[in-house]
Amino acid sequence: MEGILFIATVLLVGWFVTAPVRGRQRGLADDADVIALRADRDAKLRELRDAELDFATGKLTREDYELLDGTLRSEAAQLLRRLDTKEGQTA
Amino acid sequence: MASFGRACLALGLTLAAFGALASVYGARRGRSDWIAAGRRSVYALAMVLTAAFAVLEAAFIRTDLSYKVVAGHSSTTTPLFYRMAAPWSSQEGSLLLWVWLLSIWSSLALLGTRRRLAAVAPYATAVLLGFAAFFAALDLFLANPFAIQSPAPAEGAGLEPLLQHASMMIHPPMLYSGYTLFTIPFAFAIGALITGRLDAEWIRSIRRFALLAWLCLGVGILLGARWSWTELGWGGYWAWDPVENAALMPWLTGTAFIHSVMIQEKRGMLRVWNVSLILGTGILAILGTFLVRSGILQSIHAFGGSTLGKPFLVFIGLLLVASVALVSARLPELRSRARLESLVSRESVFLLNNFALLALCFVIFWGTFFPLISEAATGSKSSVGPPWFDRYTVPLAIVLVLLSGLGPLMTWRRASLANARRNVLWPLAAAAFGVLVIELLSAAGQKPLALALFGAAVFVAAAVVQEFARGASARRTAAGVSWPVALIGLVRRNRRRYGGYLVHLGVAVMLVGVAASSTFQHIRDVRLTPGQTAQIGGYDIRYLRPSSSVEPGKVSIGAVVDIAKAGRHVVTLRPTRSYYPTLDPTLGAVSRYFNGNAETQVGLRAGVTRDIWGAISPDLQPLQPMISQADRDFGNASPRLLGLLVSAIAARYQAAPPAALFRVIVSPLVEWIWIGGTIGALGALIAMWPARALALVRIRRSVALRSPRPVPQA
């Protein structure tokens, strides 16, 4: 009984694990630069949002906020442009 | 089913080896089919190890004494609840638990990243499977949980009485979850280093697992402390024991990582630091497991006399060499893209917090391994005790608490000094007021370090309250909603930030409990006979009468103690010591009941202002002649008759009780340790809860369209 159960387990596991190799999928799908840029973009957008919250809660003065927001927006816009270019190349 | 369990373990080892090779082959040849096969190996590993663990668990539940591990760690009289937790009381079972949990967490991590990190994930898969192969091999060849003996003994040795505690059901799985979860960021860091994909993406993908590891390890440590306080009978929750320290070290470096990784995410800075921190944390997690398994250092937790020390040392050495080599090879690519803009910023507070955490970790590492260091240097083993640890850890803890209050008040990048001053003003005033009140109302003024810690904790609490109040007020104004709705909305929209603040509050509360209870507790050991009274910390302790009970597999002898203050009854404590029969054949049939393992059941009155704790060590010496006589006269008695004899001896104790030794402790604010821990855990859950992706859409659109800046909302 134990032997049969184990053979069934081995067959099931073998079938499950080797299925992709039997299907012969090839190639790696991701573009490292695009993924890195997307991560940077999301981090930058989060930073913008944090700065907004810091201003709204009085942790940043208007002058500090405007300076920081301007810097962050220009960095974010730059990232979005680079991302657009990269995604255009990939498509 | 033992053969099936062992076969599943062997199949698991095969899968781990195959999957690791398939992943590396697939990554190097750009073959997604082999990479997928590698990932599926992890899922399959989780399936077969679940089956193996189920076989072992079923053997414990059935009390199948043909399993050596069951006979050694359970018995027919062990209650079902404890039988269910008994697998991880053994070396063999706990290793199986380790690798099983690793397979489950690894499967979840790889499932979550299956459409991301295509280059990094295969190497991370190989590393995770490497860990699994190591632990599966140990279990299979050096600590087999499925070893069988024939004929099966009629009775097992029983579960170690100290482990018969409710928290043992959760404490080890939580600790092991913490350790195994920390291997996930470790594995992805190795993958990122091998492939050179050192951007923020791998960090973003594993951040939640690092947080979960931190949470599980923290809860595990706290449950262990609670177990020590309520079960161990020595009257403390932390003893700087090597195994406790081994769990605390990765938790500290993990805390540093969780903070500094935010700087990398936002600024692209500290990449060498972060990757080194998480590699160090992963290695410390394995070191923690090694300390428990090897028995190399004296600890109440260690499985002494183990043969697993050498393989662990080789494995840790390998991890260390590989980590250092990879970081060194990638140093040029790990250089930061940005610099610290100002000392008055959240980044600089996080950096200071990192230094303090690492200093704390170093102190604990040095103190833990001092016996080995001293032996290597002088030839004789000596160790350092709690006073040595306290001398260094208390000042560092005060600095850490202060920084955990300062961090939330600072903004990223830079803040004008005037604004920073304005932000810290109210919390500082609250801290000063708090110190004054504590100084006036308590004896804390005589203990400057404790007073400083209380002040720092008030500073944190005030800073967190200020942050919540300001945020909710801004949201209330912007959205026109009530305070409670504004508060909920604020936390929902900014889970990481406000969850993190709650964690800071929880840690500060917890450290207040630690400082108050360790500095101002009263402890007294006193020998009393029934009717006698002793005083401690303003309380009268009166030994009213002895108690005894006999249950299957356990004899309990205790006392009923009245605690009163200024003549008014406060509480009745019933501390007990239980004796479990041993299978030692050198002892007589009745002696076995009284000379086996024993455990203390603490009498505890827990409260928000103080805990009153009592334990008893009954003097069984006057019963010895009676026990020896019974051994001689009833050596071959039936179990039923033996039960009657043991009951008679216990009744004799109750009728003519000798003086008993009591330890009584009055400890202030201990409960706040557990309350603080609960607040911290809640905060961590909020911080790791998935946020809606849509939350960034508004900002993204405003940047993309170059629209005028939206009105800031909380």
Side-chain angles (χ1 to χ4, degrees):
Chain A
M1 179 61 192
E2 280 183 67
I4 294 169
L5 189 60
F6 182 63
I7 289 168
T9 308
V10 171
L11 289 175
L12 184 70
V13 162
W15 171 83
F16 174 73
V17 170
T18 57
V21 182
R22 285 182 279 116
R24 310 281 294 172
Q25 300 164 6
R26 294 288 172 96
L28 290 177
D30 83 345
D31 181 318
D33 290 342
V34 171
I35 285 169
L37 281 170
R38 280 184 193 149
D40 288 347
R41 173 201 64 194
D42 288 349
K44 195 62 65 188
L45 296 177
R46 230 174 248 119
E47 230 184 318
L48 267 161
R49 206 158 147 262
D50 284 344
E52 275 191 7
L53 185 57
D54 284 343
F55 175 58
T57 55
K59 264 199 290 193
L60 278 173
T61 59
R62 179 165 289 281
E63 300 81 66
D64 280 344
Y65 171 62
E66 281 174 355
L67 188 69
L68 182 59
D69 186 71
T71 313
L72 289 174
R73 270 170 199 277
S74 101
E75 286 171 1
Q78 214 171 23
L79 272 171
L80 286 176
R81 269 198 301 277
R82 281 171 58 198
L83 186 60
D84 283 347
T85 314
K86 275 282 171 197
E87 281 178 336
Q89 285 168 359
T90 314
Chain B
M1 290 298 279
S3 312
F4 178 69
R6 184 147 202 239
C8 280
L9 201 50
L11 181 57
L13 179 59
T14 314
L15 275 168
F18 167 78
L21 291 173
S23 299
V24 174
Y25 175 77
R28 297 197 72 80
R29 293 294 172 96
R31 294 275 300 263
S32 62
D33 50 350
W34 283 96
I35 290 171
R39 197 174 56 243
R40 281 173 172 238
S41 300
V42 180
Y43 305 152
L45 178 70
M47 286 187 269
V48 296
L49 291 181
T50 302
F53 199 79
V55 168
L56 187 65
E57 189 69 56
F60 270 96
I61 290 172
R62 291 195 323 269
T63 316
D64 186 342
L65 297 171
S66 64
Y67 285 67
K68 284 184 180 171
V69 70
V70 177
H73 298 86
S74 188
S75 69
T76 54
T77 55
T78 305
L80 174 66
F81 180 78
Y82 296 125
R83 290 208 302 277
M84 287 165 71
W88 46 86
S89 70
S90 65
Q91 175 91 286
E92 300 85 345
S94 60
L95 281 172
L96 185 58
L97 176 71
W98 210 103
V99 67
W100 176 54
L101 287 171
L102 174 73
S103 69
I104 301 280
W105 295 124
S106 302
S107 297
L108 289 176
L110 293 174
L111 200 63
T113 54
R114 68 192 182 285
R115 291 195 181 87
R116 283 180 283 152
L117 298 170
V120 175
Y123 291 103
T125 308
V127 173
L128 289 169
L129 286 170
F131 276 110
F134 173 73
F135 279 92
L138 285 184
D139 226 9
L140 200 56
F141 302 118
L142 296 177
N144 176 17
F146 300 104
I148 291 292
Q149 55 188 344
S150 183
E155 185 53 287
L159 179 62
E160 161 68 49
L162 289 175
L163 301 180
Q164 298 192 21
H165 187 269
S167 72
M168 280 302 119
M169 193 69 171
I170 325 169
H171 165 63
M174 287 305 260
L175 276 183
Y176 287 11
S177 288
Y179 286 147
T180 50
L181 275 161
F182 268 132
T183 62
I184 290 167
F186 176 93
F188 277 88
I190 294 278
L193 284 167
I194 291 173
T195 55
R197 304 278 176 91
L198 298 157
D199 49 70
E201 175 61 5
W202 77 270
I203 276 180
R204 206 163 66 97
S205 303
I206 55 84
R207 191 189 70 88
R208 202 157 282 138
F209 286 96
L211 260 176
L212 188 59
W214 180 89
L215 174 64
C216 288
L217 196 54
V219 171
I221 292 169
L222 210 60
L223 284 172
R226 175 120 186 116
W227 167 71
S228 177
W229 179 239
T230 57
E231 179 74 12
L232 283 191
W234 65 279
Y237 44 80
W238 193 264
W240 295 112
D241 177 270
V243 173
E244 293 171 350
N245 298 348
L248 189 59
M249 286 189 282
W251 187 84
L252 290 171
T253 52
T255 310
F257 175 75
I258 286 166
H259 284 88
S260 63
V261 87
M262 282 189 253
I263 305 178
Q264 181 173 344
E265 248 187 297
K266 284 182 189 294
R267 309 289 317 281
M269 292 163 63
L270 302 182
R271 298 204 285 178
V272 181
W273 180 262
N274 283 328
V275 86
S276 306
L277 261 184
I278 201 57
L279 292 177
T281 303
I283 292 170
L284 283 172
I286 301 297
L287 188 75
T289 313
F290 160 71
L291 281 183
V292 190
R293 305 296 136 214
S294 64
I296 190 168
L297 291 168
Q298 283 293 316
S299 163
I300 53 162
H301 301 76
F303 294 89
S306 162
T307 54
L308 303 182
K310 276 184 189 159
F312 261 106
L313 271 183
V314 171
F315 189 56
I316 291 171
L318 191 69
L319 294 178
L320 204 59
V321 169
S323 300
V324 172
L326 277 170
V327 173
S328 309
R330 291 289 180 192
L331 265 182
E333 291 139 280
L334 282 167
R335 271 195 209 105
S336 288
R337 299 180 209 159
R339 294 199 173 279
L340 202 62
E341 286 182 25
S342 163
L343 281 176
V344 189
S345 63
R346 193 173 283 189
E347 291 94 309
S348 52
V349 175
F350 277 14
L351 260 183
L352 288 174
N353 137 308
N354 265 233
F355 292 146
L357 283 163
L358 285 200
L360 201 53
C361 183
F362 177 75
V363 166
I364 296 169
F365 185 89
W366 185 264
T368 306
F369 285 93
F370 190 75
L372 298 183
I373 296 165
S374 67
E375 192 176 23
T378 65
S380 66
K381 218 176 207 172
S382 55
S383 58
V384 292
W388 184 90
F389 281 101
D390 293 345
R391 193 182 314 146
Y392 300 102
T393 56
V394 173
L396 283 167
I398 295 170
V399 171
L400 272 171
V401 175
L402 267 177
L403 290 172
S404 72
L406 204 54
L409 301 174
M410 294 288 139
T411 55
W412 289 104
R413 294 198 181 218
R414 70 169 85 86
S416 64
L417 264 176
N419 216 38
R421 261 200 304 271
R422 198 169 67 83
N423 289 332
V424 299
L425 194 65
W426 191 81
L428 263 185
F433 181 70
V435 166
L436 194 68
V437 171
I438 295 165
E439 165 83 36
L440 288 175
L441 298 182
S442 73
Q446 294 153 13
K447 305 279 183 182
L449 284 177
L451 191 63
L453 202 138
F454 296 150
V458 176
F459 176 71
V460 176
V464 170
V465 169
Q466 175 180 281
E467 282 305 295
F468 272 92
R470 283 181 173 183
S473 167
R475 177 137 187 85
R476 192 168 158 262
T477 312
V481 291
S482 64
W483 276 101
V485 175
L487 195 63
I488 293 167
L490 179 78
V491 175
R492 277 187 63 190
R493 289 165 66 98
N494 305 281
R495 286 173 186 156
R496 281 174 74 171
R497 178 182 285 218
Y498 290 99
Y501 292 172
L502 272 183
V503 174
H504 286 199
L505 179 66
V507 171
V509 168
M510 198 166 71
L511 287 175
V512 164
V514 171
S517 58
S518 53
T519 313
F520 301 107
Q521 77 169 2
H522 297 275
I523 180 164
R524 185 159 181 205
D525 292 330
V526 60
R527 195 173 287 281
L528 298 173
T529 52
Q532 280 188 320
T533 303
Q535 280 75 40
I536 176 176
Y539 290 87
D540 296 321
I541 315 149
R542 187 175 170 80
Y543 179 10
L544 294 180
R545 59 180 181 278
S547 65
S548 69
S549 68
V550 178
E551 296 166 49
K554 181 164 96 171
V555 187
S556 300
I557 289 177
V560 180
V561 180
D562 179 71
I563 309 284
K565 189 168 193 179
R568 290 186 61 183
H569 170 76
V570 176
V571 64
T572 303
L573 297 183
R574 290 183 167 78
T576 308
R577 191 146 175 90
S578 295
Y579 301 87
Y580 295 79
T582 170
L583 295 176
D584 185 350
T586 62
L587 293 171
V590 179
S591 291
R592 282 180 207 169
Y593 278 84
F594 294 93
N595 293 311
N597 287 322
E599 63 145 344
T600 299
Q601 271 128 30
V602 169
L604 181 66
R605 165 67 177 267
V608 287
T609 54
R610 64 178 52 76
D611 277 16
I612 302 172
W613 183 103
I616 183 175
S617 295
D619 181 7
L620 300 187
Q621 207 52 43
L623 298 177
Q624 204 50 56
M626 199 176 167
I627 293 170
S628 302
Q629 184 70 39
D631 279 342
R632 282 193 297 275
D633 296 347
F634 301 97
N636 295 316
S638 67
R640 189 178 150 74
L641 182 56
L642 280 175
L644 288 172
L645 284 166
V646 169
S647 297
I649 292 169
R652 170 68 181 269
Y653 177 90
Q654 210 169 335
L661 183 65
F662 292 89
R663 168 164 285 194
V664 184
I665 301 172
V666 178
S667 193
L669 307 188
V670 178
E671 283 309 295
W672 291 94
I673 298 173
W674 327 123
I675 293 171
T678 310
I679 296 171
L682 180 72
L685 280 175
I686 291 173
M688 77 175 71
W689 207 260
R692 285 178 308 165
L694 285 175
L696 292 177
V697 166
R698 179 178 58 83
I699 299 263
R700 185 176 167 180
R701 202 171 291 145
S702 82
V703 173
L705 298 175
R706 312 285 176 94
S707 65
R709 198 169 32 247
V711 178
Q713 286 186 356

